Amino acid sequence: MADASKDKDYLMGVDLGGTKILAGVFSEKLECLGRSKKSTKAQRGPDKVVERIATCVADAIDECDLEPKQIRGIGIGAPGACDPETGTVLFAPNLVWKHYPLKKELEKQLGLPVFVENDCNIQALGVFEKELGGKPKSMVGIFLGTGIGAGIILDGKLYSGFNRTAGEIGHMVLQVGGPKCGCGNKGCFEALASRIAIFGMIESAVEDGQKTLLTDMLGNGLDDMRSGDLRKAIRKGDKLVEKIIEEAAEYTGIAVANVINLLNPQVVVIGGGVLDALEDDMLAVIVETAHDYAMAGTFDGIEILASKLGDDAGITGGAVLAKRHTK
Ligand SMILES: [Zn+2]
């Protein structure tokens, strides 16, 4: 629990997703002291979502027996392109937001300084500071979830690119003429290895009459399928699921090789819900494939690791962002 000091010693991280909002209160040393969770209800529009974020933040502060004035700053990750200088969400397809002044609106509600970044950038920051102690010169974090994104850290700082959209690794084309992606292109990494892609491949295999234990576990409609169900099926010897996950891991390995050829980062960290559930089935394949595809001599000493932060990567990174801006 937090101590009774009234100093501004605490940081707040918020992870704004398409379906849920997570908020966490952190100490200066990035220990999570308390958290809260709320559904996003994006269909109610941005102003209502901001009210829900404010409630979620207030709940997390209350959970820690703190007062809002003890929070030094709030770092928030939004699922889309963001302008960190103005705190505007430029484009967030999952929320259906365009040019929304998130920083301004949230500061109005909370009366605390707010800093906005892209969600994958923020997750990468969280992994970099909390798991790696901020030590590597450079790191790329790749997050395999509903979609796929990355955050790039060069010389200890986030690299966001000319239009602030760097790290859109999910739309790197890995299979020319491959499956259609949500972005309109074909054969994107995200269309081959994201949760949506993996579940889609399993569903069409079942429609084609292929056998999987998942239908015994979840019924023929594969209702409420989760990444953890895939792990259970593989443990029970499900060859179909094993093959689909192995292929997703191979594509991830090829993406990692491309990243290593392009940026030569000291560390590549893989995270996100799909990897959290299937690390034992994916990580070794990812590392081996990356080795096979990276140009000779580019790989020496580079580490490829799985993040252990899971769902906490976003809120932890938010706290890091707030810490970096309020020193
Ligand atoms: Zn795409």
Side-chain angles (χ1 to χ4, degrees):
M1 267 296 103
D3 65 36
S5 124
K6 299 286 180 214
D7 297 335
K8 288 201 166 205
D9 278 341
Y10 303 94
L11 303 156
M12 170 74 70
V14 179
D15 184 357
L16 169 61
T19 54
K20 65 179 192 279
I21 302 161
L22 294 175
V25 177
F26 288 79
S27 70
E28 179 81 14
K29 288 179 180 159
L30 301 176
E31 294 150 329
C32 186
L33 306 169
R35 66 190 80 211
S36 69
K37 186 173 167 178
K38 218 167 167 52
S39 58
T40 307
K41 309 252 185 248
Q43 73 280 9
R44 294 186 190 174
D47 293 337
K48 294 286 177 203
V49 171
V50 164
E51 281 174 22
R52 297 179 72 76
I53 298 169
T55 312
C56 195
V57 163
D59 287 349
I61 294 171
D62 181 61
E63 185 66 34
C64 298
D65 298 315
L66 292 171
E67 289 169 35
K69 63 183 180 192
Q70 290 173 275
I71 304 292
R72 223 164 74 193
I74 299 172
I76 176 165
C82 298
D83 180 345
E85 268 156 46
T86 59
T88 306
V89 177
L90 302 172
F91 178 56
N94 291 345
L95 300 170
V96 206
W97 287 12
K98 264 187 185 171
H99 286 275
Y100 186 76
L102 179 59
K103 175 185 168 78
K104 197 177 122 214
E105 295 301 324
L106 203 51
E107 284 183 342
K108 219 190 283 171
Q109 292 260 341
L110 292 164
L112 292 166
V114 173
F115 309 95
V116 177
E117 254 297 352
N118 164 266
D119 56 353
C120 288
N121 283 352
I122 263 193
Q123 289 177 47
L125 263 189
V127 168
F128 180 71
E129 289 290 346
K130 173 94 183 187
E131 293 192 279
L132 305 174
K135 288 192 191 96
K137 277 269 187 213
S138 51
M139 184 204 99
V140 174
I142 301 175
F143 302 96
L144 310 177
T146 312
I148 296 179
I152 302 166
I153 292 171
L154 301 177
D155 290 324
K157 288 189 195 128
L158 272 177
Y159 174 76
S160 56
F162 180 63
N163 285 322
R164 317 213 181 271
T165 58
E168 285 294 348
I169 197 172
H171 305 287
M172 181 185 269
V173 176
L174 298 182
Q175 192 192 95
V176 172
K180 204 158 171 38
C181 179
C183 74
N185 280 342
K186 284 181 176 175
C188 294
F189 180 19
E190 188 167 295
L192 294 160
S194 66
R195 177 164 34 231
I196 288 180
I198 291 167
F199 285 11
M201 283 181 252
I202 292 171
E203 281 157 7
S204 25
V206 168
E207 279 166 25
D208 289 347
Q210 295 193 52
K211 293 277 171 262
T212 165
L213 296 171
L214 289 169
T215 48
D216 301 339
M217 293 161 60
L218 306 167
N220 286 333
L222 300 173
D223 298 332
D224 296 326
M225 182 159 51
R226 289 165 183 271
S227 304
D229 296 322
L230 310 193
R231 182 185 57 225
K232 286 179 205 154
I234 293 173
R235 292 292 164 279
K236 290 180 187 163
D238 192 316
K239 292 295 168 209
L240 173 72
V241 177
E242 189 181 75
K243 182 167 161 279
I244 287 172
I245 291 303
E246 192 178 332
E247 281 174 7
E250 281 171 3
Y251 280 116
T252 306
I254 294 171
V256 170
N258 287 337
V259 163
I260 290 173
N261 286 342
L262 184 68
L263 294 171
N264 206 243
Q266 189 178 343
V267 183
V268 178
V269 179
I270 323 279
V274 172
L275 191 91
D276 292 343
L278 292 152
E279 182 187 333
D280 293 345
D281 305 283
M282 294 183 81
L283 189 64
V285 178
I286 293 170
V287 173
E288 195 189 318
T289 312
H291 251 286
D292 290 348
Y293 280 82
M295 198 184 77
T298 59
F299 213 98
D300 299 346
I302 290 178
E303 283 187 280
I304 301 175
L305 310 169
S307 169
K308 306 289 178 203
L309 279 181
D311 260 2
D312 276 359
I315 53 173
T316 309
V320 173
L321 189 73
K323 183 175 171 178
R324 286 186 170 195
H325 276 97
T326 55
K327 256 184 186 157

